[in-house]
């Protein structure tokens, strides 16, 4: 009875029209007409995945983590309570707003609102993307992943690993501590950067096709200043992606081709090759910081670090592995 996926993300922003344009025309989400000062968006068969509330703030509004059923919700509520976390039961009105059966609400050590829910509502009509994409990789892997900047990584670790039960996938300590956590086969549904700041860094959406990402990259480049990280490939989850500036003060990672892990056998380990194998030039950073990251990539390249080519053939993989 544990958290099984990232279900939804809520953003606070007064820039509702900018967010609508960004989420549909670039990301390819489907707008759901809700009216008022809230915009909601679909990514798959669920009635909503992204919610933008018109609050007079800018940043992360809430994260929605999914459990299997009512018993799973009770287990998580009891566990949080045992650890002294103040848990509130979501009202019926809130469950309707979130399009879920039931939920609990609490605050993480960084002051972010966290919700745990079960029984998301499924739409009766098919997902209609905002631009012609083949679709998002969700299902049992959840909506994608979220990454937070945290000021005290030890305190945040105790909360997310020991209380919520997230599992460390891998971690890097240079140039800053970076911990990645899985709750299903997605390499990470959650990560924390020990940057000393307290903010939302990005959320990631994974596409079914590399061409969806490439065409999105073309669109992003038409929009002056939209690209935050150039196209590149991550060392640990193998994702090929770019990052875009959202209308708010954080990024969206838009990617394809991440590895799926087996949580039953996975052991956490330290990584040493920096965040990216190639690309991901962080256009918004000052040159000295970009230079450090670039040197890590070039060093990995000099050592011939690369992702093994998947064969999509279990028999061939087993032969190669045994050699
Ligand atoms: Fe990411």
């Amino acid at each position: 009875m544990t958290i099984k996926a990232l279900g939804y993300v809520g953003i606070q922003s007064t820039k509702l029209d900018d967010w609508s344009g960004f989420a549909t025309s670039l990301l390819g989400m489907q707008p759901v007409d809700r009216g008022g000062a809230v915009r909601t968006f679909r990514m798959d068969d669920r009635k909503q995945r992204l919610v933008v509330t018109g609050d007079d703030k800018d940043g992360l509004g809430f994260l929605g983590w999914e459990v299997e059923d009512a018993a799973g919700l009770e287990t998580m509520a009891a566990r949080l309570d045992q650890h002294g976390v103040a848990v509130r039961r979501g009202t019926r009105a809130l469950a309707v707003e979130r399009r879920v059966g039931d939920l609990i609400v609490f605050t993480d050590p960084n002051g972010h609102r966290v919700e745990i829910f079960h029984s998301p509502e499924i739409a009766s009509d098919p997902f209609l993307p905002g631009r012609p994409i083949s679709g998002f990789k969700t299902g049992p892997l959840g909506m994608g992943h979220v990454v937070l900047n945290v000021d005290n990584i030890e305190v945040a670790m105790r909360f997310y690993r020991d209380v919520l039960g997230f599992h460390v996938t891998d971690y890097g300590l240079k140039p800053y501590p970076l911990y990645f956590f899985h709750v299903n086969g997605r390499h990470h549904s959650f990560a924390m950067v020990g940057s000393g700041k307290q903010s939302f860094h990005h959320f990631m959406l994974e596409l079914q096709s590399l061409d969806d990402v490439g065409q999105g990259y073309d669109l992003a480049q038409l929009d002056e200043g939209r690209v935050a990280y150039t196209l590149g490939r991550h060392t640990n989850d193998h994702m090929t992606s770019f990052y875009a500036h959202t209308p708010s003060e954080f990024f969206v990672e838009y990617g394809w081709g991440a590895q799926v892990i087996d949580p039953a056998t996975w052991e956490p380990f330290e990584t040493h090759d920096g965040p990216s194998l190639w690309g991901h030039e962080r256009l918004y950073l000052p040159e000295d910081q970009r230079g450090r990251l670039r040197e890590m990539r070039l060093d990995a390249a000099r050592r011939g670090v690369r992702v093994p080519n998947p064969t999509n053939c279990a028999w061939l993989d087993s032969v190669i592995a045994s050699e």
Side-chain angles (χ1 to χ4, degrees):
M1 291 297 182
T2 53
I3 288 171
K4 63 175 193 171
L6 175 67
Y8 55 80
V9 171
I11 304 301
Q12 295 177 321
S13 176
T14 53
K15 299 172 192 154
L16 290 172
D17 291 339
D18 292 348
W19 262 102
S20 287
F22 177 75
T24 58
S25 304
L26 180 62
L27 303 181
M29 292 184 178
Q30 176 182 350
V32 182
D33 190 12
R34 289 287 294 275
V38 176
R39 299 284 185 279
T40 61
F41 303 91
R42 281 179 64 185
M43 291 172 58
D44 52 15
D45 62 346
R46 300 224 174 152
K47 284 193 176 170
Q48 66 190 30
R49 286 288 195 178
L50 179 69
V51 179
V52 184
T53 60
D55 295 89
D56 197 15
K57 290 179 185 168
D58 201 85
L60 180 61
F62 48 86
L63 296 174
W65 295 97
E66 185 172 356
V67 291
E68 185 64 34
D69 51 23
L73 201 63
E74 295 312 321
T75 303
M76 291 308 299
R79 197 189 292 177
L80 285 155
D81 194 53
Q82 276 163 19
H83 284 85
V85 179
V87 186
R88 285 187 292 124
R89 175 72 56 178
T91 60
R92 195 65 224 132
L94 183 64
V96 169
E97 206 175 295
R98 296 287 190 265
R99 306 279 192 190
V100 299
D102 197 7
L103 76 164
I104 55 174
V105 183
F106 50 96
T107 305
D108 85 352
N110 292 285
H112 297 300
R113 178 182 169 116
V114 184
E115 302 176 354
I116 299 179
F117 71 95
H118 70 84
S119 305
E121 292 179 23
I122 305 299
S124 53
D125 52 328
F127 169 60
L128 198 68
R131 68 176 177 90
I133 53 169
S134 58
F136 296 97
K137 193 167 179 179
T138 57
L141 301 179
M143 173 179 171
H145 70 229
V146 288
V147 178
L148 304 179
N149 280 306
V150 302
D151 64 344
N152 187 328
I153 200 128
E154 281 79 30
V155 170
M157 281 290 282
R158 278 201 292 279
F159 186 80
Y160 278 97
R161 184 190 57 195
D162 305 338
V163 182
L164 293 189
F166 291 5
H167 305 279
V168 176
T169 312
D170 54 36
Y171 57 96
L173 299 173
K174 286 178 190 166
Y176 33 71
L178 197 48
Y179 284 85
F180 297 86
F181 301 83
H182 61 270
V183 294
N184 54 46
R186 193 184 287 288
H187 175 279
H188 58 283
S189 294
F190 179 75
M192 299 189 297
V193 190
S195 58
K197 289 187 286 189
Q198 269 190 346
S199 63
F200 190 32
H201 189 271
H202 71 269
F203 68 90
M204 184 285 301
L205 306 172
E206 185 171 9
L207 281 294
Q208 296 281 6
S209 159
L210 178 60
D211 298 334
D212 296 335
V213 175
Q215 289 168 343
Y217 192 49
D218 275 354
L219 290 172
Q221 287 176 100
L222 289 174
D223 193 3
E224 183 75 35
R226 178 62 72 193
V227 173
Y229 296 33
T230 62
L231 193 69
R233 193 171 198 191
H234 277 307
T235 315
N236 63 350
D237 69 355
H238 306 166
M239 179 89 69
T240 299
S241 60
F242 71 93
Y243 288 56
H245 288 281
T246 67
S248 300
E249 297 289 314
F250 57 84
F251 310 117
V252 162
E253 179 182 8
Y254 201 67
W256 168 84
Q259 66 165 324
V260 175
I261 64 163
D262 179 1
T265 56
W266 190 269
E267 295 288 340
F269 58 90
E270 184 180 350
T271 60
H272 300 277
D273 293 322
S276 306
L277 281 171
W278 52 267
H280 284 158
E281 189 67 42
R282 299 179 191 207
L283 302 176
Y284 66 95
L285 279 181
E287 177 52 33
D288 59 324
Q289 293 175 45
R290 281 171 66 171
R292 264 207 308 278
L293 288 160
R294 194 181 306 129
E295 188 43 49
M296 292 185 90
R297 294 198 298 274
L298 292 173
D299 179 57
R302 280 191 291 269
R303 290 180 288 114
V305 178
R306 52 179 43 76
V307 170
N309 276 324
T311 63
N312 289 325
C313 172
W315 171 80
L316 187 54
D317 282 343
S318 70
V319 171
I320 292 168
S322 66
E323 277 178 358

